[in-house]
Amino acid sequence: MTHDKNELIDLMMVFPRRVNAVSRIIAAKYLKDSRLKSYHLMLINGIGSSDGISQKDLGDLIPFDKSYISIGVRELMDMGYIVNEGQGKAHSLKLTDQGRDVMLMSDMMFEIIRQSIMANITPEENDELVRILRKMSDNMDGVIAQSNDKEAWAIRKWTIKDCQPQE
C-alpha cells in the first residue's frame, strides 16, 4: 500500500500535537479534583526517576524550557509534592511521600493513555512501529549531531531516554 508523500508529512506534523491533546484530555479527567495539571506529572516523573536532580538536569530529561520548569517546580513545592534539599542556587529536588503517591498514580494514568492511543494495534504492529520510530530517531540524531543548537541536544537526550523499551 502506497500513501501520498504529503499524507505522511501531514501525519508526522500533526500526530505529536494530537497525542499531546489526547494525553491532556485523559489527564484532565483524572486530575479534575486536584490542583495538579498534566505538565506537573512529567516533572514529578522526572524528579522521581532521578532523586536529587537539579532543575537544569531536569530540563535535559523533559521537553520544557527553563522558565516552565522553574514555575512548575515552584508550584509542586507549594503543593507539597517535592522538596529542594539544595543550598542557594544548587537544586536537589526530591519527591515527598505525597509526591511518590502522585508518581504511582501518574504511571497508571500514562498506561491508560498508552492503551487509549494504541487500542487496536497488534503486538506485531507495535513492534514494527517501534522499529520504524527508532530508525527515524536515529536519522534525527544525525541531524542534531550536525547542529550547534543546545535545545536540540536536550531534546535528543529526552527522546533517547524516553524511547528505551520498558522492562
Side-chain angles (χ1 to χ4, degrees):
M1 177 185 306
T2 305
H3 297 282
D4 180 314
K5 68 181 179 182
N6 291 330
E7 179 184 16
L8 178 60
I9 296 297
D10 288 347
L11 285 168
M12 288 173 47
M13 296 298 128
V14 173
F15 188 78
R17 189 173 214 166
R18 293 190 65 183
V19 169
N20 187 296
V22 168
S23 298
R24 286 176 185 258
I25 289 166
I26 293 170
K29 179 175 146 185
Y30 287 93
L31 299 173
K32 70 179 177 198
D33 295 328
S34 76
R35 292 173 45 208
L36 288 168
K37 304 292 181 214
S38 59
Y39 68 90
H40 289 136
L41 300 181
M42 289 186 71
L43 292 168
I44 285 174
N45 279 308
I47 294 165
S49 66
S50 301
D51 201 36
I53 193 169
S54 69
Q55 279 189 209
K56 181 186 178 311
D57 290 339
L58 189 57
D60 289 340
L61 285 178
I62 57 177
F64 296 158
D65 66 33
K66 192 166 57 172
S67 65
Y68 206 68
I69 288 173
S70 180
I71 290 166
V73 163
R74 191 173 337 106
E75 291 170 346
L76 289 169
M77 289 175 71
D78 290 345
M79 289 185 266
Y81 294 115
I82 62 172
V83 293
N84 178 10
E85 294 184 351
Q87 301 274 331
K89 288 196 174 216
H91 292 274
S92 180
L93 303 173
K94 296 185 178 191
L95 295 180
T96 63
D97 288 342
Q98 187 180 7
R100 279 188 284 282
D101 289 343
V102 169
M103 186 171 172
L104 288 173
M105 181 270 304
S106 71
D107 288 344
M108 290 184 281
M109 188 185 61
F110 288 136
E111 178 59 18
I112 291 167
I113 291 168
R114 187 195 66 76
Q115 288 175 5
S116 298
I117 293 171
M118 300 299 287
N120 304 320
I121 304 292
T122 67
E124 295 79 19
E125 290 170 329
N126 185 73
D127 291 346
E128 182 68 5
L129 178 60
V130 169
R131 188 184 68 73
I132 291 168
L133 290 173
R134 281 189 180 142
K135 279 186 174 184
M136 291 173 70
S137 183
D138 289 345
N139 293 340
M140 288 184 277
D141 287 347
V143 171
I144 292 168
Q146 296 175 11
S147 169
N148 293 325
D149 187 334
K150 290 181 182 180
E151 184 176 327
W153 277 99
I155 291 169
R156 178 184 178 272
K157 286 182 187 177
W158 176 78
T159 303
I160 289 172
K161 180 184 182 300
D162 241 35
C163 288
Q164 296 303 313
Q166 298 293 316
E167 298 292 328

